[in-house]
Amino acid sequence: MRYLGGKSKIAQKLTMTILAATTQRGRLIEPFMGGGAMTASLAPSFESVDAFDINDDLILMWEALKNGWKPPTNISEEQYKELKNAKPSALRAFAGFGGASWGGKWFGGYARGDGRNYADESARSLLRDIQKMQNCTFKCLDYQKIQPLLGDVVYADPPYAGTTEYRDTFDSAQFWETMKMWSMDGADVFVSEYKAPPNWKTLWQVERTRDMKSKFTNAEKVTEKLFTYGSIS
């Protein structure tokens, strides 16, 4: 599914790097599962996965998909506008992100004009991904309320500092402090971002074209990185 900040194009490389850096294969925690590209890529390698997101629509969508819901293959502009102000639901998440929204941004404008059927593409992508997530539990919860245990593996893909916000403001400084705390408490923590505070190590990086981000032109190149803190088991 198209999703602002999604990792579908680099999910395999990130997964290989994370698996090579740790031997733990018990529980995976993903505090910001979003469009699920990394969840689908990592989940088959772990016994269980706790996948979180603060967006209640998204969690309703992933739960519905796991329970057999099949997304529509077409969403009209009228339906898109109605869903924007509707109650949270699986369908609202599907329309508000990849199914009909421009660039995968949360109700960022109805996608049209290039002859592609985004709803059909997103539906097929989601149905493929959910087959890899049968060991996942989906929860709507703020990341600060999660309590990783010793030996857990954490992959975090937060809203990036200085980029287009997803739905709410995000305190990047608090996020990094929390990730440091989790690491020091014994979890193996991996974070996707462009930059990290001191003492975070770069495990992998790739240059990408930044799009749909505030304060930058669409053609700007950025270096996507995967960071970790402290020792890896």
Side-chain angles (χ1 to χ4, degrees):
M1 181 176 76
R2 294 182 311 149
Y3 188 86
L4 182 61
K7 297 295 186 291
S8 58
K9 293 182 179 180
I10 59 174
Q12 184 177 9
K13 292 290 186 181
L14 288 170
T15 296
M16 291 172 60
T17 303
I18 292 169
L19 295 180
T22 179
T23 59
Q24 302 289 353
R25 295 294 181 269
R27 182 172 70 152
L28 171 70
I29 295 177
E30 194 171 352
F32 311 90
M33 78 165 298
M38 283 300 296
T39 316
S41 184
L42 283 165
S45 297
F46 290 85
E47 293 179 12
S48 65
V49 180
D50 284 347
F52 301 87
D53 202 282
I54 199 170
N55 187 309
D56 45 0
D57 294 87
L58 269 177
I59 295 302
L60 288 171
M61 183 188 74
W62 287 115
E63 288 178 334
L65 285 163
K66 187 176 179 180
N67 291 328
W69 178 67
K70 290 182 171 50
T73 56
N74 184 68
I75 293 181
S76 68
E77 187 168 2
E78 180 181 3
Q79 187 180 19
Y80 176 82
K81 292 178 179 177
E82 291 176 353
L83 286 167
K84 183 176 182 178
N85 298 310
K87 294 180 179 180
S89 68
L91 181 59
R92 185 169 181 255
F94 179 72
F97 288 111
S101 200
W102 182 253
K105 182 180 179 182
W106 179 248
F107 283 103
Y110 185 71
R112 55 162 127 36
D114 60 1
R116 293 170 59 185
N117 185 336
Y118 291 110
D120 182 60
E121 291 177 15
S122 293
R124 287 187 280 111
S125 175
L126 288 170
L127 291 173
R128 285 194 302 270
D129 285 348
I130 199 62
Q131 295 305 312
K132 304 173 186 176
M133 300 185 196
Q134 296 307 299
N135 61 340
C136 294
T137 299
F138 305 111
K139 301 177 183 178
C140 182
L141 193 68
D142 186 281
Y143 79 94
Q144 294 184 71
K145 297 180 180 179
I146 301 170
Q147 296 182 325
L149 302 175
L150 178 67
D152 285 341
V153 175
V154 177
Y155 170 71
D157 182 18
Y160 286 12
T163 63
T164 297
E165 294 179 358
Y166 292 48
R167 231 169 75 163
D168 305 298
T169 57
F170 186 77
D171 189 335
S172 290
Q174 179 62 56
F175 163 77
W176 284 109
E177 282 299 312
T178 301
M179 295 303 104
K180 178 181 176 180
M181 180 184 69
W182 289 2
S183 298
M184 295 180 70
D185 286 345
D188 289 341
V189 178
F190 303 88
V191 180
S192 285
E193 244 284 16
Y194 298 141
K195 297 179 181 180
N199 299 321
W200 286 83
K201 300 178 293 186
T202 301
L203 290 179
W204 180 83
Q205 63 184 50
V206 67
E207 186 178 71
R208 302 180 73 188
T209 300
R210 189 202 308 255
D211 59 357
M212 299 255 344
K213 306 292 189 292
S214 62
K215 305 179 183 178
F216 299 96
T217 63
N218 287 345
E220 179 167 357
K221 296 289 185 178
V222 294
T223 302
E224 183 100 36
K225 298 180 180 182
L226 182 69
F227 299 97
T228 192
Y229 186 93
S231 62
I232 295 296
S233 58

